[in-house]
Amino acid sequence: MIPYREVNEFKELDILHAELKSRELCWTDSPVAALSEFTYSIQQHWARFSDLASTSEEVYVLEAVFFQHQIHDLLSHYQAVDHHIEQHIQGIAAQIAALHPVVLYLTQPSVREQQVWISSIRSKPHFATEQNIGFMENRKRIELKLLDMLPFPTYTIENVNRDWDGVFRNMVEAIGRKND
């Protein structure tokens, strides 16, 4: 796994950039690996991260990469069913459980309203299509179900009215409860 999109020199080497993009596992329009290969590669990536993080005093904040991105890719690229998604997430969770992570799951009351809002601020009308809203509602359903299955503390924080100050206070409070 190479973060090639972040290396400007790779972008200048058209052939190398095209080759790396053709082997993309996550941010792609069509998967290049079978579901079993995808799951194995991702879980190995998390195992390497866990090994590295276990010897560090750093605090890592992993926004969406542990949960939403995984489920999104499994649904959109592999049309994975709930059981396969559950196995995939539990495999990753097993890799990082020794780090004693805490999941803070931020959610909006209405997926539809959130997608319409995102669509408007990002000028991306496809975010608010019925198909995408249905996809995101299904993803949220799966995410909420999986939160209860994780082997570490999870806190769901609903962001009513995009009150980011309130969300931040709730996040700090949740972390404080974990440390009590």
PDB file of all heavy atoms in Angstrom, residues 64-94:
ATOM      1  N   ALA A  64     -12.782   8.466   9.748  1.00  0.00           N
ATOM      2  CA  ALA A  64     -13.525   7.695   8.742  1.00  0.00           C
ATOM      3  C   ALA A  64     -12.765   6.514   8.126  1.00  0.00           C
ATOM      4  O   ALA A  64     -13.377   5.624   7.572  1.00  0.00           O
ATOM      5  CB  ALA A  64     -14.063   8.597   7.639  1.00  0.00           C
ATOM      6  N   VAL A  65     -11.457   6.471   8.207  1.00  0.00           N
ATOM      7  CA  VAL A  65     -10.703   5.438   7.514  1.00  0.00           C
ATOM      8  C   VAL A  65     -10.930   4.039   8.096  1.00  0.00           C
ATOM      9  O   VAL A  65     -10.913   3.057   7.373  1.00  0.00           O
ATOM     10  CB  VAL A  65      -9.192   5.794   7.452  1.00  0.00           C
ATOM     11  CG1 VAL A  65      -8.522   5.657   8.798  1.00  0.00           C
ATOM     12  CG2 VAL A  65      -8.478   4.974   6.410  1.00  0.00           C
ATOM     13  N   PHE A  66     -11.162   3.932   9.385  1.00  0.00           N
ATOM     14  CA  PHE A  66     -11.388   2.622  10.010  1.00  0.00           C
ATOM     15  C   PHE A  66     -12.759   2.066   9.663  1.00  0.00           C
ATOM     16  O   PHE A  66     -12.912   0.875   9.453  1.00  0.00           O
ATOM     17  CB  PHE A  66     -11.241   2.736  11.535  1.00  0.00           C
ATOM     18  CG  PHE A  66     -11.853   1.582  12.294  1.00  0.00           C
ATOM     19  CD1 PHE A  66     -11.317   0.314  12.191  1.00  0.00           C
ATOM     20  CD2 PHE A  66     -12.976   1.768  13.081  1.00  0.00           C
ATOM     21  CE1 PHE A  66     -11.888  -0.756  12.878  1.00  0.00           C
ATOM     22  CE2 PHE A  66     -13.543   0.719  13.774  1.00  0.00           C
ATOM     23  CZ  PHE A  66     -12.997  -0.549  13.668  1.00  0.00           C
ATOM     24  N   PHE A  67     -13.735   2.916   9.577  1.00  0.00           N
ATOM     25  CA  PHE A  67     -15.110   2.447   9.535  1.00  0.00           C
ATOM     26  C   PHE A  67     -15.810   2.797   8.221  1.00  0.00           C
ATOM     27  O   PHE A  67     -16.078   1.930   7.403  1.00  0.00           O
ATOM     28  CB  PHE A  67     -15.829   3.085  10.728  1.00  0.00           C
ATOM     29  CG  PHE A  67     -16.892   2.247  11.349  1.00  0.00           C
ATOM     30  CD1 PHE A  67     -16.638   0.965  11.781  1.00  0.00           C
ATOM     31  CD2 PHE A  67     -18.162   2.756  11.529  1.00  0.00           C
ATOM     32  CE1 PHE A  67     -17.614   0.205  12.371  1.00  0.00           C
ATOM     33  CE2 PHE A  67     -19.148   2.011  12.122  1.00  0.00           C
ATOM     34  CZ  PHE A  67     -18.874   0.727  12.541  1.00  0.00           C
ATOM     35  N   GLN A  68     -16.104   4.075   8.008  1.00  0.00           N
ATOM     36  CA  GLN A  68     -16.897   4.460   6.852  1.00  0.00           C
ATOM     37  C   GLN A  68     -16.245   4.115   5.518  1.00  0.00           C
ATOM     38  O   GLN A  68     -16.907   3.597   4.625  1.00  0.00           O
ATOM     39  CB  GLN A  68     -17.230   5.963   6.881  1.00  0.00           C
ATOM     40  CG  GLN A  68     -18.319   6.307   7.838  1.00  0.00           C
ATOM     41  CD  GLN A  68     -17.786   6.859   9.147  1.00  0.00           C
ATOM     42  OE1 GLN A  68     -16.599   6.759   9.440  1.00  0.00           O
ATOM     43  NE2 GLN A  68     -18.665   7.449   9.930  1.00  0.00           N
ATOM     44  N   HIS A  69     -14.972   4.398   5.364  1.00  0.00           N
ATOM     45  CA  HIS A  69     -14.327   4.114   4.083  1.00  0.00           C
ATOM     46  C   HIS A  69     -14.348   2.615   3.781  1.00  0.00           C
ATOM     47  O   HIS A  69     -14.571   2.221   2.637  1.00  0.00           O
ATOM     48  CB  HIS A  69     -12.889   4.615   4.075  1.00  0.00           C
ATOM     49  CG  HIS A  69     -12.784   6.103   4.052  1.00  0.00           C
ATOM     50  ND1 HIS A  69     -11.583   6.752   4.024  1.00  0.00           N
ATOM     51  CD2 HIS A  69     -13.720   7.082   4.057  1.00  0.00           C
ATOM     52  CE1 HIS A  69     -11.786   8.058   4.014  1.00  0.00           C
ATOM     53  NE2 HIS A  69     -13.072   8.278   4.036  1.00  0.00           N
ATOM     54  N   GLN A  70     -14.120   1.813   4.796  1.00  0.00           N
ATOM     55  CA  GLN A  70     -14.130   0.362   4.593  1.00  0.00           C
ATOM     56  C   GLN A  70     -15.505  -0.116   4.121  1.00  0.00           C
ATOM     57  O   GLN A  70     -15.611  -0.864   3.144  1.00  0.00           O
ATOM     58  CB  GLN A  70     -13.769  -0.359   5.897  1.00  0.00           C
ATOM     59  CG  GLN A  70     -12.413  -0.034   6.450  1.00  0.00           C
ATOM     60  CD  GLN A  70     -11.308  -0.449   5.510  1.00  0.00           C
ATOM     61  OE1 GLN A  70     -11.341  -1.538   4.946  1.00  0.00           O
ATOM     62  NE2 GLN A  70     -10.336   0.412   5.330  1.00  0.00           N
ATOM     63  N   ILE A  71     -16.526   0.299   4.828  1.00  0.00           N
ATOM     64  CA  ILE A  71     -17.888  -0.134   4.499  1.00  0.00           C
ATOM     65  C   ILE A  71     -18.297   0.411   3.140  1.00  0.00           C
ATOM     66  O   ILE A  71     -18.899  -0.299   2.322  1.00  0.00           O
ATOM     67  CB  ILE A  71     -18.864   0.286   5.618  1.00  0.00           C
ATOM     68  CG1 ILE A  71     -18.497  -0.451   6.916  1.00  0.00           C
ATOM     69  CG2 ILE A  71     -20.308   0.002   5.227  1.00  0.00           C
ATOM     70  CD1 ILE A  71     -19.171   0.069   8.159  1.00  0.00           C
ATOM     71  N   HIS A  72     -17.947   1.644   2.876  1.00  0.00           N
ATOM     72  CA  HIS A  72     -18.267   2.258   1.586  1.00  0.00           C
ATOM     73  C   HIS A  72     -17.660   1.448   0.439  1.00  0.00           C
ATOM     74  O   HIS A  72     -18.349   1.118  -0.528  1.00  0.00           O
ATOM     75  CB  HIS A  72     -17.749   3.703   1.564  1.00  0.00           C
ATOM     76  CG  HIS A  72     -18.275   4.500   0.428  1.00  0.00           C
ATOM     77  ND1 HIS A  72     -19.390   5.291   0.539  1.00  0.00           N
ATOM     78  CD2 HIS A  72     -17.863   4.613  -0.846  1.00  0.00           C
ATOM     79  CE1 HIS A  72     -19.627   5.869  -0.624  1.00  0.00           C
ATOM     80  NE2 HIS A  72     -18.710   5.470  -1.477  1.00  0.00           N
ATOM     81  N   ASP A  73     -16.375   1.127   0.547  1.00  0.00           N
ATOM     82  CA  ASP A  73     -15.714   0.348  -0.506  1.00  0.00           C
ATOM     83  C   ASP A  73     -16.330  -1.038  -0.653  1.00  0.00           C
ATOM     84  O   ASP A  73     -16.538  -1.516  -1.767  1.00  0.00           O
ATOM     85  CB  ASP A  73     -14.215   0.212  -0.228  1.00  0.00           C
ATOM     86  CG  ASP A  73     -13.447   1.493  -0.505  1.00  0.00           C
ATOM     87  OD1 ASP A  73     -14.012   2.432  -1.102  1.00  0.00           O
ATOM     88  OD2 ASP A  73     -12.273   1.561  -0.117  1.00  0.00           O
ATOM     89  N   LEU A  74     -16.608  -1.686   0.471  1.00  0.00           N
ATOM     90  CA  LEU A  74     -17.189  -3.030   0.405  1.00  0.00           C
ATOM     91  C   LEU A  74     -18.564  -3.011  -0.254  1.00  0.00           C
ATOM     92  O   LEU A  74     -18.890  -3.911  -1.035  1.00  0.00           O
ATOM     93  CB  LEU A  74     -17.270  -3.644   1.798  1.00  0.00           C
ATOM     94  CG  LEU A  74     -15.919  -4.035   2.402  1.00  0.00           C
ATOM     95  CD1 LEU A  74     -16.068  -4.340   3.887  1.00  0.00           C
ATOM     96  CD2 LEU A  74     -15.316  -5.214   1.657  1.00  0.00           C
ATOM     97  N   LEU A  75     -19.361  -2.011   0.054  1.00  0.00           N
ATOM     98  CA  LEU A  75     -20.690  -1.917  -0.555  1.00  0.00           C
ATOM     99  C   LEU A  75     -20.619  -1.526  -2.028  1.00  0.00           C
ATOM    100  O   LEU A  75     -21.273  -2.139  -2.871  1.00  0.00           O
ATOM    101  CB  LEU A  75     -21.548  -0.893   0.199  1.00  0.00           C
ATOM    102  CG  LEU A  75     -22.085  -1.307   1.553  1.00  0.00           C
ATOM    103  CD1 LEU A  75     -22.738  -0.121   2.256  1.00  0.00           C
ATOM    104  CD2 LEU A  75     -23.069  -2.464   1.422  1.00  0.00           C
ATOM    105  N   SER A  76     -19.841  -0.501  -2.340  1.00  0.00           N
ATOM    106  CA  SER A  76     -19.850   0.011  -3.709  1.00  0.00           C
ATOM    107  C   SER A  76     -19.032  -0.838  -4.676  1.00  0.00           C
ATOM    108  O   SER A  76     -19.433  -1.013  -5.812  1.00  0.00           O
ATOM    109  CB  SER A  76     -19.401   1.463  -3.754  1.00  0.00           C
ATOM    110  OG  SER A  76     -18.062   1.589  -3.351  1.00  0.00           O
ATOM    111  N   HIS A  77     -17.910  -1.371  -4.243  1.00  0.00           N
ATOM    112  CA  HIS A  77     -17.057  -2.130  -5.155  1.00  0.00           C
ATOM    113  C   HIS A  77     -17.360  -3.615  -5.190  1.00  0.00           C
ATOM    114  O   HIS A  77     -17.162  -4.265  -6.205  1.00  0.00           O
ATOM    115  CB  HIS A  77     -15.583  -1.942  -4.803  1.00  0.00           C
ATOM    116  CG  HIS A  77     -15.111  -0.536  -4.926  1.00  0.00           C
ATOM    117  ND1 HIS A  77     -15.462   0.299  -5.957  1.00  0.00           N
ATOM    118  CD2 HIS A  77     -14.319   0.205  -4.129  1.00  0.00           C
ATOM    119  CE1 HIS A  77     -14.918   1.469  -5.795  1.00  0.00           C
ATOM    120  NE2 HIS A  77     -14.214   1.444  -4.694  1.00  0.00           N
ATOM    121  N   TYR A  78     -17.792  -4.158  -4.074  1.00  0.00           N
ATOM    122  CA  TYR A  78     -17.955  -5.611  -3.975  1.00  0.00           C
ATOM    123  C   TYR A  78     -19.396  -6.035  -3.727  1.00  0.00           C
ATOM    124  O   TYR A  78     -19.665  -7.221  -3.644  1.00  0.00           O
ATOM    125  CB  TYR A  78     -17.053  -6.151  -2.858  1.00  0.00           C
ATOM    126  CG  TYR A  78     -15.598  -5.930  -3.162  1.00  0.00           C
ATOM    127  CD1 TYR A  78     -14.897  -4.875  -2.590  1.00  0.00           C
ATOM    128  CD2 TYR A  78     -14.919  -6.758  -4.048  1.00  0.00           C
ATOM    129  CE1 TYR A  78     -13.561  -4.656  -2.881  1.00  0.00           C
ATOM    130  CE2 TYR A  78     -13.587  -6.550  -4.353  1.00  0.00           C
ATOM    131  CZ  TYR A  78     -12.920  -5.494  -3.770  1.00  0.00           C
ATOM    132  OH  TYR A  78     -11.605  -5.282  -4.070  1.00  0.00           O
ATOM    133  N   GLN A  79     -20.294  -5.073  -3.569  1.00  0.00           N
ATOM    134  CA  GLN A  79     -21.685  -5.376  -3.244  1.00  0.00           C
ATOM    135  C   GLN A  79     -21.745  -6.400  -2.109  1.00  0.00           C
ATOM    136  O   GLN A  79     -22.545  -7.341  -2.116  1.00  0.00           O
ATOM    137  CB  GLN A  79     -22.464  -5.883  -4.467  1.00  0.00           C
ATOM    138  CG  GLN A  79     -22.659  -4.856  -5.569  1.00  0.00           C
ATOM    139  CD  GLN A  79     -21.388  -4.589  -6.357  1.00  0.00           C
ATOM    140  OE1 GLN A  79     -20.715  -5.511  -6.787  1.00  0.00           O
ATOM    141  NE2 GLN A  79     -21.053  -3.333  -6.528  1.00  0.00           N
ATOM    142  N   ALA A  80     -20.877  -6.197  -1.140  1.00  0.00           N
ATOM    143  CA  ALA A  80     -20.765  -7.117  -0.004  1.00  0.00           C
ATOM    144  C   ALA A  80     -22.037  -7.089   0.826  1.00  0.00           C
ATOM    145  O   ALA A  80     -22.674  -6.045   0.976  1.00  0.00           O
ATOM    146  CB  ALA A  80     -19.562  -6.754   0.858  1.00  0.00           C
ATOM    147  N   VAL A  81     -22.383  -8.233   1.355  1.00  0.00           N
ATOM    148  CA  VAL A  81     -23.547  -8.340   2.236  1.00  0.00           C
ATOM    149  C   VAL A  81     -23.100  -8.053   3.666  1.00  0.00           C
ATOM    150  O   VAL A  81     -21.907  -8.044   3.979  1.00  0.00           O
ATOM    151  CB  VAL A  81     -24.205  -9.739   2.127  1.00  0.00           C
ATOM    152  CG1 VAL A  81     -24.770  -9.951   0.724  1.00  0.00           C
ATOM    153  CG2 VAL A  81     -23.229 -10.838   2.480  1.00  0.00           C
ATOM    154  N   ASP A  82     -24.070  -7.817   4.540  1.00  0.00           N
ATOM    155  CA  ASP A  82     -23.785  -7.436   5.927  1.00  0.00           C
ATOM    156  C   ASP A  82     -22.781  -8.368   6.597  1.00  0.00           C
ATOM    157  O   ASP A  82     -21.868  -7.918   7.283  1.00  0.00           O
ATOM    158  CB  ASP A  82     -25.071  -7.390   6.748  1.00  0.00           C
ATOM    159  CG  ASP A  82     -25.983  -6.234   6.375  1.00  0.00           C
ATOM    160  OD1 ASP A  82     -25.753  -5.581   5.334  1.00  0.00           O
ATOM    161  OD2 ASP A  82     -26.929  -5.984   7.139  1.00  0.00           O
ATOM    162  N   HIS A  83     -22.938  -9.674   6.385  1.00  0.00           N
ATOM    163  CA  HIS A  83     -22.065 -10.654   7.039  1.00  0.00           C
ATOM    164  C   HIS A  83     -20.599 -10.456   6.628  1.00  0.00           C
ATOM    165  O   HIS A  83     -19.699 -10.511   7.477  1.00  0.00           O
ATOM    166  CB  HIS A  83     -22.538 -12.075   6.707  1.00  0.00           C
ATOM    167  CG  HIS A  83     -21.646 -13.144   7.225  1.00  0.00           C
ATOM    168  ND1 HIS A  83     -21.535 -13.423   8.581  1.00  0.00           N
ATOM    169  CD2 HIS A  83     -20.797 -13.988   6.589  1.00  0.00           C
ATOM    170  CE1 HIS A  83     -20.655 -14.403   8.742  1.00  0.00           C
ATOM    171  NE2 HIS A  83     -20.206 -14.763   7.554  1.00  0.00           N
ATOM    172  N   HIS A  84     -20.341 -10.231   5.340  1.00  0.00           N
ATOM    173  CA  HIS A  84     -18.964 -10.024   4.877  1.00  0.00           C
ATOM    174  C   HIS A  84     -18.388  -8.720   5.426  1.00  0.00           C
ATOM    175  O   HIS A  84     -17.210  -8.659   5.787  1.00  0.00           O
ATOM    176  CB  HIS A  84     -18.896 -10.035   3.348  1.00  0.00           C
ATOM    177  CG  HIS A  84     -19.135 -11.378   2.761  1.00  0.00           C
ATOM    178  ND1 HIS A  84     -20.104 -11.600   1.815  1.00  0.00           N
ATOM    179  CD2 HIS A  84     -18.562 -12.577   3.005  1.00  0.00           C
ATOM    180  CE1 HIS A  84     -20.108 -12.868   1.487  1.00  0.00           C
ATOM    181  NE2 HIS A  84     -19.179 -13.493   2.203  1.00  0.00           N
ATOM    182  N   ILE A  85     -19.222  -7.704   5.491  1.00  0.00           N
ATOM    183  CA  ILE A  85     -18.766  -6.422   6.033  1.00  0.00           C
ATOM    184  C   ILE A  85     -18.436  -6.580   7.513  1.00  0.00           C
ATOM    185  O   ILE A  85     -17.406  -6.103   7.982  1.00  0.00           O
ATOM    186  CB  ILE A  85     -19.837  -5.332   5.806  1.00  0.00           C
ATOM    187  CG1 ILE A  85     -19.996  -5.085   4.303  1.00  0.00           C
ATOM    188  CG2 ILE A  85     -19.475  -4.045   6.545  1.00  0.00           C
ATOM    189  CD1 ILE A  85     -21.188  -4.231   3.927  1.00  0.00           C
ATOM    190  N   GLU A  86     -19.288  -7.285   8.234  1.00  0.00           N
ATOM    191  CA  GLU A  86     -19.051  -7.534   9.663  1.00  0.00           C
ATOM    192  C   GLU A  86     -17.723  -8.269   9.864  1.00  0.00           C
ATOM    193  O   GLU A  86     -16.921  -7.886  10.726  1.00  0.00           O
ATOM    194  CB  GLU A  86     -20.200  -8.357  10.226  1.00  0.00           C
ATOM    195  CG  GLU A  86     -20.069  -8.683  11.692  1.00  0.00           C
ATOM    196  CD  GLU A  86     -21.220  -9.556  12.180  1.00  0.00           C
ATOM    197  OE1 GLU A  86     -22.368  -9.344  11.749  1.00  0.00           O
ATOM    198  OE2 GLU A  86     -20.953 -10.456  12.995  1.00  0.00           O
ATOM    199  N   GLN A  87     -17.468  -9.305   9.084  1.00  0.00           N
ATOM    200  CA  GLN A  87     -16.207 -10.054   9.202  1.00  0.00           C
ATOM    201  C   GLN A  87     -15.012  -9.159   8.906  1.00  0.00           C
ATOM    202  O   GLN A  87     -13.985  -9.230   9.587  1.00  0.00           O
ATOM    203  CB  GLN A  87     -16.208 -11.253   8.253  1.00  0.00           C
ATOM    204  CG  GLN A  87     -17.080 -12.389   8.695  1.00  0.00           C
ATOM    205  CD  GLN A  87     -17.025 -13.537   7.708  1.00  0.00           C
ATOM    206  OE1 GLN A  87     -16.940 -13.345   6.491  1.00  0.00           O
ATOM    207  NE2 GLN A  87     -17.070 -14.749   8.239  1.00  0.00           N
ATOM    208  N   HIS A  88     -15.123  -8.335   7.892  1.00  0.00           N
ATOM    209  CA  HIS A  88     -14.035  -7.445   7.503  1.00  0.00           C
ATOM    210  C   HIS A  88     -13.711  -6.460   8.633  1.00  0.00           C
ATOM    211  O   HIS A  88     -12.551  -6.324   9.033  1.00  0.00           O
ATOM    212  CB  HIS A  88     -14.435  -6.695   6.224  1.00  0.00           C
ATOM    213  CG  HIS A  88     -13.400  -5.767   5.698  1.00  0.00           C
ATOM    214  ND1 HIS A  88     -12.379  -6.178   4.870  1.00  0.00           N
ATOM    215  CD2 HIS A  88     -13.215  -4.434   5.876  1.00  0.00           C
ATOM    216  CE1 HIS A  88     -11.612  -5.144   4.571  1.00  0.00           C
ATOM    217  NE2 HIS A  88     -12.101  -4.073   5.160  1.00  0.00           N
ATOM    218  N   ILE A  89     -14.738  -5.801   9.155  1.00  0.00           N
ATOM    219  CA  ILE A  89     -14.536  -4.815  10.218  1.00  0.00           C
ATOM    220  C   ILE A  89     -14.031  -5.495  11.486  1.00  0.00           C
ATOM    221  O   ILE A  89     -13.127  -4.987  12.164  1.00  0.00           O
ATOM    222  CB  ILE A  89     -15.825  -4.010  10.484  1.00  0.00           C
ATOM    223  CG1 ILE A  89     -16.203  -3.168   9.259  1.00  0.00           C
ATOM    224  CG2 ILE A  89     -15.693  -3.154  11.736  1.00  0.00           C
ATOM    225  CD1 ILE A  89     -15.209  -2.090   8.886  1.00  0.00           C
ATOM    226  N   GLN A  90     -14.580  -6.653  11.824  1.00  0.00           N
ATOM    227  CA  GLN A  90     -14.101  -7.358  13.017  1.00  0.00           C
ATOM    228  C   GLN A  90     -12.654  -7.808  12.849  1.00  0.00           C
ATOM    229  O   GLN A  90     -11.885  -7.809  13.814  1.00  0.00           O
ATOM    230  CB  GLN A  90     -15.013  -8.539  13.346  1.00  0.00           C
ATOM    231  CG  GLN A  90     -16.328  -8.088  13.941  1.00  0.00           C
ATOM    232  CD  GLN A  90     -17.257  -9.236  14.307  1.00  0.00           C
ATOM    233  OE1 GLN A  90     -17.193 -10.320  13.736  1.00  0.00           O
ATOM    234  NE2 GLN A  90     -18.125  -8.985  15.267  1.00  0.00           N
ATOM    235  N   GLY A  91     -12.243  -8.139  11.639  1.00  0.00           N
ATOM    236  CA  GLY A  91     -10.843  -8.481  11.385  1.00  0.00           C
ATOM    237  C   GLY A  91      -9.924  -7.300  11.616  1.00  0.00           C
ATOM    238  O   GLY A  91      -8.844  -7.432  12.203  1.00  0.00           O
ATOM    239  N   ILE A  92     -10.337  -6.135  11.164  1.00  0.00           N
ATOM    240  CA  ILE A  92      -9.540  -4.924  11.402  1.00  0.00           C
ATOM    241  C   ILE A  92      -9.529  -4.603  12.888  1.00  0.00           C
ATOM    242  O   ILE A  92      -8.478  -4.285  13.460  1.00  0.00           O
ATOM    243  CB  ILE A  92     -10.091  -3.729  10.600  1.00  0.00           C
ATOM    244  CG1 ILE A  92      -9.958  -3.976   9.105  1.00  0.00           C
ATOM    245  CG2 ILE A  92      -9.368  -2.443  10.989  1.00  0.00           C
ATOM    246  CD1 ILE A  92     -10.678  -2.953   8.259  1.00  0.00           C
ATOM    247  N   ALA A  93     -10.698  -4.684  13.522  1.00  0.00           N
ATOM    248  CA  ALA A  93     -10.798  -4.381  14.956  1.00  0.00           C
ATOM    249  C   ALA A  93      -9.872  -5.285  15.759  1.00  0.00           C
ATOM    250  O   ALA A  93      -9.229  -4.840  16.714  1.00  0.00           O
ATOM    251  CB  ALA A  93     -12.242  -4.524  15.433  1.00  0.00           C
ATOM    252  N   ALA A  94      -9.772  -6.546  15.375  1.00  0.00           N
ATOM    253  CA  ALA A  94      -8.875  -7.477  16.070  1.00  0.00           C
ATOM    254  C   ALA A  94      -7.425  -7.034  15.934  1.00  0.00           C
ATOM    255  O   ALA A  94      -6.621  -7.220  16.857  1.00  0.00           O
ATOM    256  CB  ALA A  94      -9.062  -8.897  15.522  1.00  0.00           C
TER     257      ALA A  94
END
